[in-house]
């Protein structure tokens, strides 16, 4: 699933370092005002709307611990429109493959998600991101209607941590509710340029598929200009026969390593 825009960091709104230095040295208040004016003018001239996008290549598209491509590579693309108030909307697409060897072809080759959301700072150190997503699978043959709507809220706190909950009234078109709880964090690894990302999740599909499972992710990230690389290991537990029958084969939920390269613009 897509990665949605987040609120701008407080660091982006800090005044230039020389203003702080001047204040510490007892510079006149008028001088500080003069220096601050260009920054205020720049903020006032900031365009209310911004367009962002990304293109990615993955060795295996793993979503909530389960391969969506029969363990094969995937291509993804996203474009979104963001307002400075925090509201945003966009489209996200990925190649997928739900048909295992020997099974009847479902006609689905890609997923297309449209989303609308808001991300912003509730108070210093506490951010909220709420997004409504409609996931669609164009080209699906009769009997393979997996389209669903999901509402997800993620709360970021203490700079590095987050907790989230996603809810769907009819997940994967199964006629039942789905709840996905998750918590995790992301930290820089000193001055190396690498980052560490960890997340655990619990997918409650009792109503829709008669069972639930847990998923785990640990990843190392690194940015190369506009390109972000992520090497990850994912696994699940309690992915039982009911889920294998209703959703994907249990082998697609086994532990696996995947590499993702994403170019953002």
């Amino acid at each position: 699933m897509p990665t949605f825009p987040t609120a701008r960091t407080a660091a982006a709104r800090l005044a230039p370092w020389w203003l702080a230095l001047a204040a510490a040295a007892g510079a006149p208040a008028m001088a500080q005002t003069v220096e601050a004016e260009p920054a205020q003018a720049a903020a006032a001239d900031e365009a209310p709307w911004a367009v962002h996008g990304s293109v990615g290549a993955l060795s295996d598209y793993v979503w909530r611990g389960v391969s969506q491509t029969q363990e094969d590579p995937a291509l993804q693309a996203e474009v979104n429109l963001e307002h400075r108030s925090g509201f945003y909307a966009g489209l996200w697409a990925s190649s997928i493959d739900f048909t295992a060897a020997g099974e009847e072809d479902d006609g689905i080759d890609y997923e297309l998600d449209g989303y609308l959301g808001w991300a912003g700072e509730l108070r210093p150190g506490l951010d909220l991101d709420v997004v409504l997503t409609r996931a669609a699978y164009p080209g699906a043959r009769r009997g393979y209607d997996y389209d669903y709507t999901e509402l997800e809220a993620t709360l970021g706190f203490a700079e590095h941590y987050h907790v989230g909950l996603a809810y769907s009234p009819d997940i994967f078109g199964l006629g039942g509710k789905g709840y996905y709880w998750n918590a995790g964090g992301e930290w820089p690894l000193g001055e190396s340029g690498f980052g560490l990302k960890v997340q655990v999740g619990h997918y409650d599909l009792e109503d829709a598929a008669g069972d639930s499972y847990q998923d785990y992710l640990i990843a190392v990230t690194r940015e190369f200009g506009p390109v972000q690389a992520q090497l990850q290991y994912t696994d699940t537990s309690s992915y039982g026969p009911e889920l294998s029958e209703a959703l994907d084969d249990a082998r697609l939920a086994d532990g696996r390593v995947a590499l993702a390269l994403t170019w953002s613009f």
Side-chain angles (χ1 to χ4, degrees):
M1 300 292 289
T3 302
F4 302 108
T6 56
R8 294 182 176 86
T9 63
R13 298 190 295 272
L14 292 178
W17 65 268
W18 56 81
L19 292 185
L21 183 60
M30 183 176 65
Q32 296 181 39
T33 303
V34 171
E35 292 288 355
E37 285 178 355
Q40 294 171 355
D45 291 340
E46 181 184 356
W49 295 95
V51 177
H52 305 283
S54 66
V55 178
L58 302 81
S59 63
D60 187 356
Y61 169 30
V62 181
W63 182 70
R64 296 178 182 173
V66 183
S67 173
Q68 306 293 291
T69 53
Q70 300 296 315
E71 305 177 304
D72 290 331
L75 295 176
Q76 298 181 346
E78 180 179 16
V79 61
N80 62 68
L81 180 65
E82 180 182 359
H83 191 262
R84 63 186 174 195
S85 65
F87 288 99
Y88 61 86
L91 290 173
W92 176 90
S94 177
S95 57
I96 57 173
D97 185 4
F98 294 149
T99 306
E103 293 183 345
E104 180 182 357
D105 185 12
D106 57 17
I108 300 172
D109 295 315
Y110 66 97
E111 176 182 344
L112 180 63
D113 296 355
Y115 58 85
L116 177 66
W118 179 87
E121 187 178 63
L122 301 180
R123 62 178 177 80
L126 187 64
D127 300 318
L128 177 64
D129 190 346
V130 180
V131 60
L132 180 66
T133 302
R134 178 63 179 178
Y137 302 91
R141 294 182 175 178
R142 185 182 299 274
Y144 296 97
D145 182 12
Y146 303 142
D147 295 5
Y148 66 94
T149 300
E150 185 175 75
L151 179 64
E152 183 171 13
T154 302
L155 195 65
F157 59 95
E159 188 177 359
H160 301 294
Y161 303 91
H162 71 268
V163 293
L165 170 62
Y167 163 75
S168 174
D170 183 14
I171 190 66
F172 310 128
L174 294 174
K177 303 179 184 67
Y179 302 87
Y180 181 69
W181 306 82
N182 65 87
E186 188 169 1
W187 308 267
L189 295 176
E191 302 298 326
S192 66
F194 288 91
L196 175 65
K197 180 186 295 185
V198 176
Q199 180 171 296
V200 295
H202 174 74
Y203 212 166
D204 181 353
L205 295 168
E206 291 283 351
D207 186 54
D211 203 356
S212 301
Y213 74 96
Q214 289 68 240
D215 72 286
Y216 315 94
L217 176 148
I218 182 168
V220 176
T221 62
R222 178 68 189 270
E223 290 187 357
F224 302 91
V227 178
Q228 183 186 59
Q230 177 167 305
L231 181 64
Q232 66 182 34
Y233 174 78
T234 57
D235 203 353
T236 65
S237 60
S238 303
Y239 195 96
E242 292 88 349
L243 295 177
S244 187
E245 176 68 24
L247 301 175
D248 302 288
D249 191 277
R251 67 178 177 81
L252 299 178
D254 290 342
R256 65 192 62 246
V257 175
L259 174 65
L261 298 175
T262 305
W263 173 57
S264 301
F265 56 90

